[in-house]
Amino acid sequence: MTTGIRISPWLAWTAGIFCALVAVASFRFLPLGVEKSMPVMAHHLPGNAWLLYSHIAVAPIVLGLLPFHLSTGLRKSRPGLHKWLGRFYGAGILVSGIASIDLALTTTAGPIALSGFLLLALLWLLATCLGIAAGIRRDIATHRRWMLRSAAMTFAAVTLRVYLPLSLAAGLPFELAYPAIAWLCWVPNLLVNEWYLRRGHARPRAQVLAA
């Protein structure tokens, strides 16, 4: 049974810190403006500003909710709060995910980046919807599996911001690095997540991942 899957505390704390830092840093567009703080996104402003702001304003909130949403302690001690945070998390992904589809389709970074970000947006929405649907059915094991997949894709906001400066520091041109990162920011996350899920399914008593 996948209900035995657990996240190790150090991993949860590390991921939570990164989520909080990136979530707070993402709101730098408020004092600085999109042109200065997110120049790679600025081309969306003419005629597409409301979708851009829907994504960059709501996605950091989703990221900030992620550690609380996955907290085993919170889920056990405050199940009502866990459900409400889940509702906000799901609603945020609905808004940000739909906006992400349009932003991916109108990117100027080329077809590789377009396909990477578009598939991420679609799978992010799908995994979250399937997770919520399973929760409504009270199929908790399935709910946890799909919400962990959703979490892996939410965490792409962190891995993208790790890979991009590393690639630039390595001397890779932005035009080459960015399309690759459009895939690298989430595909490895999902692969690692699936490995953990399979390990937890094969060894139900091992405390490997938290759900």
Side-chain angles (χ1 to χ4, degrees):
M1 292 289 294
T2 52
T3 52
I5 298 172
R6 302 251 185 256
I7 292 175
S8 61
W10 71 266
L11 180 60
W13 274 102
T14 302
I17 291 170
F18 275 107
C19 286
L21 290 175
V22 171
V24 171
S26 296
F27 284 108
R28 66 191 183 280
F29 74 91
L30 291 174
L32 300 176
V34 175
E35 294 88 346
K36 290 184 179 179
S37 61
M38 303 177 182
V40 71
M41 306 289 286
H43 68 277
H44 292 291
L45 285 172
N48 208 22
W50 71 276
L51 282 171
L52 173 62
Y53 285 116
S54 295
H55 177 67
I56 64 177
V58 176
I61 297 174
V62 173
L63 185 64
L65 287 173
L66 182 60
F68 301 99
H69 182 59
L70 295 179
S71 170
T72 301
L74 181 65
R75 187 179 66 250
K76 290 181 177 179
S77 62
R78 302 287 298 277
L81 179 59
H82 172 76
K83 290 180 181 179
W84 274 106
L85 290 177
R87 293 185 181 109
F88 286 118
Y89 176 83
I93 290 177
L94 179 63
V95 172
S96 184
I98 291 174
S100 297
I101 293 173
D102 186 81
L103 296 177
L105 292 172
T106 55
T107 184
T108 59
I112 296 177
L114 184 156
S115 57
F117 287 130
L118 178 60
L119 188 56
L120 169 59
L122 293 172
L123 292 178
W124 193 33
L125 287 165
L126 177 62
T128 306
C129 288
L130 290 173
I132 292 173
I136 293 172
R137 298 194 310 270
R138 298 187 180 278
D139 182 353
I140 302 304
T142 301
H143 169 72
R144 292 177 182 176
R145 291 176 71 88
W146 281 111
M147 295 312 291
L148 281 172
R149 292 177 179 122
S150 171
M153 288 181 279
T154 300
F155 201 70
V158 174
T159 47
L160 183 147
R161 287 162 177 82
V162 171
Y163 295 154
L164 188 56
L166 288 177
S167 66
L168 297 178
L172 294 175
F174 177 82
E175 295 77 11
L176 177 63
Y178 193 66
I181 291 171
W183 290 89
L184 291 173
C185 69
W186 63 275
V187 173
N189 295 8
L190 273 183
L191 292 176
V192 171
N193 184 69
E194 290 303 310
W195 175 77
Y196 270 120
L197 288 174
R198 289 177 181 274
R199 182 181 177 188
H201 180 75
R203 299 169 59 194
R205 296 181 181 178
Q207 296 187 350
V208 186
L209 266 179

